[in-house]
Amino acid sequence: MTTPGAGGMLLVPLCEDCTDRGVLPEDYQAIMRVVAGAAEPVKAGQVSDALGRGTLPGQVEAVRAKLKPLAERGWLHRTPAGRYAPLTGHRA
């Protein structure tokens, strides 16, 4: 088994059907659960707080740094306002 991020492997792979979150590292899976469980699109600070990581700028930036690739690679939707939401049909 190859470790994500090893040998050029993407830590957050491109989402092909977005149903197998198990391919993501655990901390990214935790972020996905928070976003999926939210009633509306969430800010990085809300995700950080829900994960118990705090709301100080450095703490929020660490979470934002993980949210961005999830959105860029098709796992989440990033709104123009910078909030994150599950893709339509992928709430669970």
Side-chain angles (χ1 to χ4, degrees), residues 2-90:
T2 305
T3 303
M9 183 179 169
L10 292 175
L11 191 60
V12 176
L14 294 172
C15 177
E16 294 180 7
D17 64 11
C18 297
T19 58
D20 185 11
R21 291 185 194 159
V23 300
L24 297 170
E26 177 54 41
D27 49 342
Y28 288 85
Q29 290 179 42
I31 289 170
M32 292 288 293
R33 285 190 294 271
V34 169
V35 175
E40 58 188 12
V42 292
K43 296 179 185 180
Q46 292 170 295
V47 176
S48 182
D49 191 38
L51 292 170
R53 296 186 185 167
T55 56
L56 296 175
Q59 296 162 329
V60 174
E61 285 306 314
V63 172
R64 184 175 286 114
K66 291 180 182 195
L67 283 161
K68 282 186 175 184
L70 287 168
E72 290 167 354
R73 297 190 183 125
W75 290 89
L76 295 174
H77 171 71
R78 185 176 184 269
T79 70
R83 293 174 183 254
Y84 295 88
L87 295 174
T88 305
H90 294 100

